[in-house]
């Protein structure tokens, strides 16, 4: 376990190899699981602000859902707000591309330059999950190992990409370049 500022970083982020292989999994992390992507209050407010624009990139069932619901649900276990899911487990903000690969409708709208918000940070960081210890004030960053990501582990090993490198952009978005640089320096030090 590494300590960088107020973050406890699991060794798995350095030791495990990971690169999403969407051609194999088709974005299953957006369609399976017990609850939607964790979101904070600011993210919920931002998504609500741009909901009409984002909805243009969503399938009809999501558009219908969002006419009567905000798109967020409080999940008692694990005690977080998250994106809502359809009955089949798919995130309400999910769409698919021409290859049948799951695509975040929020991120698609961002790529089109129509909104300034990319997607929830929990999605951007995945498979890294953040748990907050309210008593200590520390965040714990852990690798959420899931069998649907086995192709990503295989591809990561083949390409020799550590998990923290795979989510580099998300780490910088969440904690800044200095944090990432410290994490990278710690990783290099541990290799010696």
């Amino acid at each position: 376990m590494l300590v960088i500022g107020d973050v406890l970083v699991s060794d798995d982020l350095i030791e495990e190899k990971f690169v999403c292989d969407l051609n194999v999994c088709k974005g299953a992390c957006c369609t399976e699981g017990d609850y939607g992507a964790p979101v904070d209050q600011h993210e919920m407010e931002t998504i609500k602000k741009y909901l009409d624009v984002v909805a243009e990139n969503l399938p009809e069932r999501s558009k219908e859902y969002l006419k009567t619901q905000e798109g967020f649900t409080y999940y008692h276990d694990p005690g977080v707000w998250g994106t809502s899911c359809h009955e089949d487990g798919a995130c309400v903000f999910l769409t698919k591309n021409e290859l049948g690969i799951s695509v975040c409708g929020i991120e698609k709208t961002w790529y089109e330059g129509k909104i300034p918000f990319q997607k929830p940070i929990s999605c951007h960081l995945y498979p890294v999950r953040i748990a907050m210890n309210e008593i200590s004030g520390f965040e714990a960053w852990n690798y959420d190992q899931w069998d649907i990501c086995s192709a990503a582990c295989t591809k990561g090993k083949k390409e020799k990409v550590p998990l923290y490198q795979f989510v580099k952009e998300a780490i910088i978005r969440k904690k800044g370049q200095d944090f990432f640089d410290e994490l990278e320096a710690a990783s290099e030090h541990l290799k010696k």
Side-chain angles (χ1 to χ4, degrees):
M1 184 75 60
L2 298 171
V3 178
I4 301 175
D6 61 351
V7 178
L8 302 173
V9 179
S10 168
D11 293 342
D12 287 343
L13 274 67
I14 293 170
E15 296 168 1
E16 297 295 329
K17 308 296 187 255
F18 194 98
V19 174
C20 278
D21 194 341
L22 294 173
N23 292 318
V24 175
C25 75
K26 305 291 187 202
C29 59
C30 299
T31 62
E32 298 184 25
D34 298 327
Y35 56 93
V39 289
D40 63 27
Q41 191 65 39
H42 176 72
E43 289 175 319
M44 286 191 287
E45 293 303 321
T46 302
I47 293 167
K48 286 179 201 176
K49 180 178 178 181
Y50 298 105
L51 195 54
D52 289 343
V53 181
V54 170
E56 295 172 12
N57 280 323
L58 299 178
E60 202 55 45
R61 73 176 185 159
S62 292
K63 290 176 184 177
E64 287 300 315
Y65 180 93
L66 293 169
K67 284 180 183 176
T68 60
Q69 308 289 323
E70 291 187 327
F72 305 101
T73 301
Y74 184 76
Y75 297 95
H76 293 283
D77 184 23
V80 297
W81 280 95
T83 57
S84 297
C85 296
H86 291 291
E87 301 78 28
D88 63 2
C91 175
V92 296
F93 296 105
L94 172 76
T95 189
K96 298 210 181 238
N97 70 12
E98 61 281 351
L99 300 173
I101 296 172
S102 296
V103 176
C104 175
I106 300 166
E107 187 170 40
K108 184 175 189 297
T109 309
W110 176 78
Y111 276 123
E112 293 170 350
K114 296 177 181 175
I115 61 173
F117 179 75
Q118 186 171 357
K119 62 181 170 182
I121 194 69
S122 66
C123 299
H124 203 179
L125 276 168
Y126 198 78
V128 175
R129 283 286 188 223
I130 298 174
M132 187 68 184
N133 183 316
E134 300 297 333
I135 296 170
S136 69
F138 275 83
E139 292 180 358
W141 289 30
N142 295 295
Y143 171 32
D144 184 31
Q145 297 183 25
W146 197 3
D147 60 342
I148 65 170
C149 293
S150 61
C153 298
T154 300
K155 187 174 181 180
K157 287 175 187 165
K158 181 179 177 185
E159 296 181 13
K160 298 181 175 134
V161 177
L163 174 55
Y164 82 94
Q165 282 286 347
F166 173 72
V167 294
K168 175 181 179 176
E169 182 182 314
I171 291 172
I172 293 170
R173 178 180 162 207
K174 173 73 176 164
K175 298 300 269 186
Q177 185 69 50
D178 289 345
F179 179 91
F180 181 82
D181 291 346
E182 281 189 58
L183 177 57
E184 188 163 54
S187 172
E188 293 302 316
H189 178 74
L190 290 173
K191 287 179 188 176
K192 294 178 183 178

